[in-house]
Amino acid sequence: MTDHMPSPSDAQADLIAYLDFHVEAGADAALDEHPHDRFSEADTPAPTLRAPRRAPPRIAESSATPVANTLVPPPGSAPPPASSSAAPRTFGRAASAQPDEAASDARARARQAKSLDELERILADFDACPLRFTAKNLVFADGNPEARVMFLGEAPGADEDRIGKPFMGRSGQLLDKMMKAIGLDRTSAYIGNIVPWRPPGNRNPTPQEVAVCRPFVERQIELVDPDIIVCLGAPATQTLTGSKDGILRTRGRLFPYKLPNREVKLLATLHPAFLLRQPVQKRLAWRDFRALRALIDGKA
Ligand code: URA
């Protein structure tokens, strides 16, 4: 029998793999010290149980129907109350900070950054967003900060979390191809996300998480100072424009985006992850990318 007993290090590795599996599946916090056998419990909930949490909505890109992610608050609006059932259980300061306090703290800190490097350092130290405790890496940006075009996605996935850069997985490969088709690459474009940490299990970031991260991405845009912002998908578009429309309504549209000293153009288009699921929609994205090329060339 002892032949088959795992050595302590094997047992540790098994335990870590088991925990990783649960984090991957979206379990972002331990609820109790001991496991519970829910099957042996009576139907009536124990008095100490919290109200059940609602699952967050699926991302707009996961559906052909334009799903207005109305949970993303428009710029300037107050974040939802702390008691919202969508708020995940969290660690560290993120556990105690009220979402609006965390968002105003984020705004104050983001404003302090005088350069992208400084912003990245401030973000790396920022502990009021629960996502940083489940993510492996901060995913700040890739590409050329001097570029005229800045692409923004929603949030990193597993590949980006592992590597620490945005758009590294299959969506990233498609984005690279789309950029290449109009003569862009990561030396001539800058790429970021609305939320710089991977939500566990690739769930949608909650409205609170978006509200807390938004000051940082807004400061990142100010520091890059691009001529054209390209929002990939509904969450990025809705967060930066305040529009509640689904991406199939907003794609191809140009929105004004205010920088401190000027107004630039924001183009909404489809997220590459959506195009991987709905390749037939690539023709629409192609139209948007041609419009982007014309904008870059000053012909639009
Ligand atoms: N999807 C995103 O929105 N961002 C990434 O970085 C990767 C996939």
Side-chain angles (χ1 to χ4, degrees), residues 9-173:
S9 59
D10 285 345
Q12 262 177 351
D14 282 355
L15 189 57
I16 289 166
Y18 173 81
L19 288 173
D20 275 349
F21 170 83
H22 279 81
V23 170
E24 280 289 312
D28 53 7
L31 292 177
D32 214 336
E33 295 280 318
H34 303 287
H36 294 264
D37 180 359
R38 299 289 181 207
F39 292 105
S40 69
E41 286 173 359
D43 283 347
T44 45
T48 51
L49 287 181
R50 286 162 181 262
R53 276 182 286 152
R54 261 183 297 123
R58 298 305 311 146
I59 60 168
E61 286 81 12
S62 68
S63 161
T65 317
V67 180
N69 186 354
T70 51
L71 292 174
V72 177
S77 68
S83 59
S84 163
S85 59
R89 288 174 58 97
T90 53
F91 303 81
R93 195 164 69 96
S96 53
Q98 299 290 308
D100 46 357
E101 270 173 37
S104 57
D105 183 24
R107 258 190 303 280
R109 285 166 192 257
R111 260 198 303 267
Q112 284 167 12
K114 299 283 177 284
S115 69
L116 289 165
D117 285 347
E118 217 181 311
L119 185 67
E120 186 172 0
R121 275 197 300 277
I122 291 172
L123 204 41
D125 285 341
F126 183 70
D127 65 357
C129 178
L131 294 177
R132 65 161 290 156
F133 297 99
T134 48
K136 290 190 174 74
N137 281 301
L138 169 69
V139 177
F140 185 67
D142 196 19
N144 185 350
E146 304 290 320
R148 292 180 55 211
V149 184
M150 177 170 185
F151 288 89
L152 281 165
E154 180 185 17
D159 292 312
E160 293 76 21
D161 186 36
R162 187 170 42 78
I163 298 166
K165 287 191 175 170
F167 286 96
M168 289 283 119
R170 287 182 64 223
S171 311
Q173 286 159 19

Side-chain angles (χ1 to χ4, degrees), residues 1-11 14:
M1 284 297 282
T2 48
D3 286 353
H4 302 294
M5 291 283 287
S7 67
S9 59
D10 285 345
D14 282 355

